[in-house]
Amino acid sequence: MISENLLAVFYLISGVLFILALRGLSSPETSRQGNLFGILGMAIAIGVTIISVGNFSTGFLYLLVLLLIGGSIGAFIAFKIPMTAMPELVAGFHSLVGLAAVFVAISAFLNPDVFNLGSPGSIKIASLIEMSLGAAIGAITFTGSIIAFLKLRGIMSGSPITFFGQHYLNLVLGLILVGLVFYLCKTQSDIWFWTIIIISFLVGVLLIIPIGGADMPVVISMLNSYSGWAAAGIGFTLENTALIITGALVGSSGAILSYIMCKGMNRSFFNVILGGWGATDQSSSNQSKEQKPVKSGNADDAAFLMKNASSVIIVPGYGMAVAQAQHALREMVDALKKNGVKVTYAIHPVAGRMPGHMNVLLAEANVSYDEVFELEEINNDFANCDVAYVIGANDVTNPVAKTDPQSPIYGMPILDVEKSKSVLFVKRSLSPGYAGIDNDLFYRDNTLMLFADAKKMTEDIIKSL
């Protein structure tokens, strides 16, 4: 049995490692180191927690077997999952964190004496509040993450799902949850505890269904924050320092990231939390593609334009991820550099399906971090750019965000690709993006559509170069 003082020291060390992990993950250059710090911190926290129990009987054997099973499944998924499915994987993992918080809360409520919280029917009030909050936030995280997973996977429509009085229903359910926590503390009745969990499961669904697919990156970040607060709430219940520190770090960092992304998309942070945005009628912004002229070209045309340009800006999007074109893109850029062309990359905050999706893919292809710029850093450069090569991006380049108040993406800052002298748009067809609206950039005079798979087109351009 490890002493309380030594236990606190080890938990403090793991907490410091988690902070260093977050610091490392703030930059692509130090992200691998940050991951290692996080792994080491979690290993220490889990090991110390197991040792602190001091019971190496059959229960410990069961725990070890379950850890091996869970770890093996996680490792298998991590090795097999393609980068394009990473957002769905993150949403799935968030759901597991939320469900774990619910299970721990249930265990603490049914067996409070095991956790030194009192006895059934006579649990400490503070502990009841903590486990209620942990269970509620965990349940919301679980069902919300499941809905996000279904939308990202394409099993459920990415369009907003709304109905009359939806926001008022969410408000009423929120007030009911507050009242149920009060009655639970007053009566300690099982029925109130189970009702809190059931209603929280429902709230998780209602919060995410009205959010459109194009806004899923912010949803992923928000659910990440929720999972952290759920863990922190359960940490207080169990009086586990490591859980409190980890949950608070994940919760606060996820909230800060959500705020930054909302600011980058000109969205209201509070509307995101309440699940009441992204529900604009998308049909009003759809345009008739058949009545508009479109200029299309081939790899030779694209190679000629870029080879004779002095500057090229690459705009990657989800289409690049689907085609796994990042390595071919890097090869194309190397060929352009040999011809004296200046090449940079422009990354929109919500390009792809989760925060940092494009950065991860470019890092995988060993693209230099010095060549990758965020929207605020590079947007003014499009006006002086000879060629913009848009590979798989759509909504984040759509000029309608600045002109159509009825558009679901109206007000969202976009990459000013249309200001370039020439735009090469790689896309399989004229189909709309994840927001479900037509892209006005397809029909501009300076746009040349390259209808093909992103990887195939890029490889053909390399041959032409």
Side-chain angles (χ1 to χ4, degrees), residues 73-299:
I73 293 173
F76 177 79
I77 293 174
F79 277 115
K80 299 293 289 185
I81 199 77
M83 280 303 303
T84 50
M86 194 59 67
E88 295 101 292
L89 178 66
V90 172
F93 282 168
H94 287 164
S95 72
L96 295 179
V97 175
L99 190 60
V102 173
F103 283 157
V104 173
I106 292 172
S107 178
F109 182 77
L110 297 178
N111 302 281
D113 49 329
V114 176
F115 300 93
N116 298 319
L117 304 177
S119 58
S122 183
I123 303 174
K124 302 173 186 175
I125 299 300
S127 297
L128 275 175
I129 295 174
E130 292 159 2
M131 70 176 68
S132 298
L133 291 175
I137 299 174
I140 291 170
T141 303
F142 174 69
T143 50
S145 298
I146 293 297
I147 297 299
F149 173 86
L150 295 175
K151 286 191 174 226
L152 289 166
R153 197 69 180 172
I155 299 173
M156 177 184 286
S157 171
S159 302
I161 300 173
T162 58
F163 54 85
F164 179 75
Q166 189 170 29
H167 305 316
Y168 293 106
L169 176 60
N170 289 342
L171 176 62
V172 169
L173 290 176
L175 294 174
I176 289 174
L177 283 176
V178 173
L180 288 173
V181 173
F182 172 78
Y183 277 106
L184 176 64
C185 294
K186 187 176 181 180
T187 65
Q188 303 209 12
S189 172
D190 291 10
I191 189 172
W192 300 129
F193 181 74
W194 292 110
T195 306
I196 289 173
I197 293 176
I198 292 170
I199 292 179
S200 298
F201 279 138
L202 176 61
V203 170
V205 174
L206 294 174
L207 283 178
I208 305 303
I209 59 172
I211 301 179
D215 304 319
M216 274 300 128
V218 183
V219 175
I220 294 294
S221 176
M222 178 183 69
L223 290 171
N224 178 48
S225 178
Y226 286 174
S227 68
W229 296 126
I234 295 301
F236 279 107
T237 300
L238 304 181
E239 296 183 352
N240 187 296
T241 308
L243 260 181
I244 295 171
I245 294 174
T246 308
L249 285 173
V250 173
S252 57
S253 61
I256 292 170
L257 179 59
S258 299
Y259 174 77
I260 292 172
M261 295 185 71
C262 288
K263 187 177 180 182
M265 295 176 65
N266 195 31
R267 304 294 194 187
S268 167
F269 179 68
F270 291 104
N271 283 345
V272 175
I273 296 174
L274 298 175
W277 61 293
T280 313
D281 179 15
Q282 298 181 2
S283 61
S284 61
S285 295
N286 287 337
Q287 303 167 5
S288 176
K289 297 185 281 289
E290 291 79 6
Q291 299 177 359
K292 295 182 179 181
V294 175
K295 292 191 295 183
S296 62
N298 54 37

Side-chain angles (χ1 to χ4, degrees), residues 190-441:
D190 291 10
I191 189 172
W192 300 129
F193 181 74
W194 292 110
T195 306
I196 289 173
I197 293 176
I198 292 170
I199 292 179
S200 298
F201 279 138
L202 176 61
V203 170
V205 174
L206 294 174
L207 283 178
I208 305 303
I209 59 172
I211 301 179
D215 304 319
M216 274 300 128
V218 183
V219 175
I220 294 294
S221 176
M222 178 183 69
L223 290 171
N224 178 48
S225 178
Y226 286 174
S227 68
W229 296 126
I234 295 301
F236 279 107
T237 300
L238 304 181
E239 296 183 352
N240 187 296
T241 308
L243 260 181
I244 295 171
I245 294 174
T246 308
L249 285 173
V250 173
S252 57
S253 61
I256 292 170
L257 179 59
S258 299
Y259 174 77
I260 292 172
M261 295 185 71
C262 288
K263 187 177 180 182
M265 295 176 65
N266 195 31
R267 304 294 194 187
S268 167
F269 179 68
F270 291 104
N271 283 345
V272 175
I273 296 174
L274 298 175
W277 61 293
T280 313
D281 179 15
Q282 298 181 2
S283 61
S284 61
S285 295
N286 287 337
Q287 303 167 5
S288 176
K289 297 185 281 289
E290 291 79 6
Q291 299 177 359
K292 295 182 179 181
V294 175
K295 292 191 295 183
S296 62
N298 54 37
D300 292 332
D301 300 326
F304 177 81
L305 284 172
M306 287 194 283
K307 188 174 182 179
N308 290 281
S310 60
S311 64
V312 173
I313 297 179
I314 310 290
V315 181
Y318 187 65
M320 182 191 77
V322 172
Q324 289 290 286
Q326 61 269 25
H327 296 284
L329 184 64
R330 164 68 193 276
E331 190 177 344
M332 185 191 80
V333 169
D334 289 342
L336 289 172
K337 288 179 180 177
K338 290 179 181 177
N339 285 282
V341 181
K342 178 187 176 184
V343 184
T344 50
Y345 298 81
I347 308 295
H348 193 279
V350 295
R353 292 291 184 270
M354 70 176 187
H357 199 179
M358 295 301 105
N359 302 78
V360 172
L361 289 173
L362 295 177
E364 182 189 351
N366 294 318
V367 172
S368 174
Y369 305 122
D370 298 334
E371 299 172 2
V372 181
F373 297 92
E374 300 296 327
L375 181 145
E376 297 83 2
E377 301 172 307
I378 200 170
N379 227 14
N380 292 330
D381 295 346
F382 282 104
N384 301 315
C385 169
D386 292 317
V387 177
Y389 186 72
V390 183
I391 177 168
N394 197 335
D395 297 323
V396 297
T397 65
N398 196 340
V400 78
K402 298 184 287 187
T403 59
D404 185 3
Q406 301 303 315
S407 169
I409 64 171
Y410 180 71
M412 181 180 82
I414 62 164
L415 291 164
D416 294 330
V417 174
E418 77 276 6
K419 294 182 180 180
S420 303
K421 293 178 183 177
S422 297
V423 178
L424 300 174
F425 212 118
V426 184
K427 205 172 183 297
R428 290 178 180 271
S429 66
L430 291 173
S431 60
Y434 213 47
I437 57 173
D438 198 18
N439 193 339
D440 188 52
L441 185 60

